[in-house]
Amino acid sequence: MNLLLGLKCMFLELIVVSYDFMQSRIVGGYAPAPHSIKYMVSIQNDKGQHFCGGSLINKYWLLTAAHCNIMVIVAGDYSLSVYEGTEQFFTPRFLVPHPEYNKSTNNADIMLIRLQLTVPVHLNSFVTVAPLPRQGASVSEGRVCRVSGWGYTSSTGAQIPATLRTVKVPIVSAVHCNSSQSFGGNITANMICAGYSAGGKDACKQGDSGGPLVCEGRVYGVVSWGNSCASAKYPGVYTAVSQYRSWIDQTINSFY
Ligand SMILES: *[C@@H]1O[C@H](CO)[C@@H](O)[C@H](O)[C@H]1NC(C)=O
Ligand SMILES: *[C@@H]1O[C@H](CO)[C@@H](O)[C@H](O)[C@H]1NC(C)=O
Ligand SMILES: *[C@@H]1O[C@H](CO)[C@@H](O)[C@H](O)[C@H]1NC(C)=O
């Protein structure tokens, strides 16, 4: 199969967890009602430290950013520091980063994670799957979306005991985001931007890397990169999931 040739399936043994890559975090948001964002997962290292967010997209697959390293996945969580009895723990069977992912440009920063088949996710009142947009669907400028994630204290791996947080941010047009006033040509057609142009308020965006930006009930964005938070000039930049819907479907189907 041609498709498979292009896929770089990295197996767990090959993955080196890097402790020093910068984390983005929810700023100016609030704690949602416990277990109200049920497709949200915490991606953790082998020490149980939260690294990235992700979205459950079916019983066997997660969506996250290509730059995330994964050891353990926790679904049904709310407070990372408290065992609530709703958590489901998984290990990945393999990871499928997008074959065009480019670390220096952040283009195609998207990755699928196949969970261990022996233990599929149990969907219940704490854990659900997130709907995705169709291929090529766009979300208009100004549309208010929601990004969620678990905060992170530093790039060294220390972690605040924190519940999930969420913040609403409007979509910023690619023209504005890509302008010399903002990211100056570094925005590709595979990215979407969201944030407040006024800045200053407690509305600085950014969720944990890999986490979902949800618009109209669908995961339109995966938290990817940005500049320092709370800046009026630089909105958060997300991988545009609708550019990858066909890839997602083909990848998932090719592994059945
Ligand atoms: C990433 O993008 C840069 C800039 O377009 C390009 O020079 C480089 O070759 C790309 N790297 C990979 C691994 O594709
Ligand atoms: C665009 O990307 C280049 C290469 O990574 C970087 O040097 C430059 O500072 C970026 N520009 C902006 C406005 O972020
Ligand atoms: C952003 O600007 C760069 C440089 O002009 C261009 O190559 C790229 O296609 C632009 N991105 C979008 C989404 O139009």
Side-chain angles (χ1 to χ4, degrees):
M1 289 186 70
N2 260 351
L3 173 71
L4 286 175
L5 292 176
L7 298 175
K8 287 182 233 153
C9 299
M10 301 190 306
F11 290 82
L12 264 182
E13 296 87 307
L14 302 177
I15 291 162
V16 177
V17 177
S18 74
Y19 286 89
D20 60 350
F21 78 93
M22 295 307 292
Q23 306 289 320
S24 48
R25 55 186 293 205
I26 300 291
V27 176
Y30 59 94
H35 307 291
S36 56
I37 303 175
K38 302 174 188 181
Y39 45 77
M40 181 85 212
V41 303
S42 166
I43 292 174
Q44 307 183 349
N45 65 19
D46 56 353
K47 299 189 172 60
Q49 292 166 327
H50 175 81
F51 255 76
C52 273
S55 305
L56 190 64
I57 59 169
N58 74 32
K59 277 184 165 185
Y60 300 100
W61 289 87
L62 300 178
L63 186 68
T64 187
H67 71 265
C68 291
N69 291 307
I70 286 101
M71 299 304 285
V72 175
I73 292 130
V74 188
D77 214 345
Y78 180 63
S79 169
L80 293 178
S81 60
V82 177
Y83 180 70
E84 297 154 302
T86 54
E87 295 89 344
Q88 295 181 48
F89 298 87
F90 302 94
T91 48
R93 185 160 161 218
F94 54 81
L95 312 179
V96 189
H98 196 280
E100 282 154 31
Y101 171 53
N102 186 318
K103 255 183 217 174
S104 48
T105 62
N106 301 301
N107 192 47
D109 187 10
I110 193 165
M111 177 162 71
L112 287 162
I113 304 170
R114 176 63 149 89
L115 300 172
Q116 291 285 3
L117 183 62
T118 47
V119 195
V121 179
H122 177 53
L123 303 181
N124 58 24
S125 47
F126 305 101
V127 178
T128 58
V129 296
L132 301 178
R134 63 177 195 283
Q135 178 69 28
S138 62
V139 57
S140 44
E141 181 178 6
R143 186 63 151 189
V144 176
C145 305
R146 171 190 295 283
V147 56
S148 307
W150 279 277
Y152 212 83
T153 50
S154 71
S155 56
T156 58
Q159 164 194 312
I160 359 171
T163 62
L164 184 64
R165 297 188 72 81
T166 191
V167 67
K168 289 178 182 173
V169 282
I171 296 293
V172 173
S173 73
V175 169
H176 185 270
C177 198
N178 203 24
S179 73
S180 54
Q181 256 72 96
S182 192
F183 286 107
N186 289 344
I187 303 301
T188 72
N190 302 319
M191 300 171 185
I192 51 178
C193 302
Y196 287 94
S197 56
K201 296 188 183 181
D202 65 331
C204 171
K205 70 305 97 188
Q206 300 272 37
D208 283 312
S209 288
L213 176 75
V214 174
C215 314
E216 297 157 12
R218 293 173 190 275
V219 179
Y220 270 85
V222 168
V223 178
S224 178
W225 63 285
N227 214 315
S228 60
C229 208
S231 160
K233 217 179 146 186
Y234 300 107
V237 186
Y238 300 81
T239 308
V241 174
S242 66
Q243 295 292 95
Y244 296 102
R245 179 62 197 266
S246 302
W247 174 76
I248 290 168
D249 291 350
Q250 283 166 11
T251 303
I252 289 176
N253 290 334
S254 73
F255 283 105
Y256 277 119

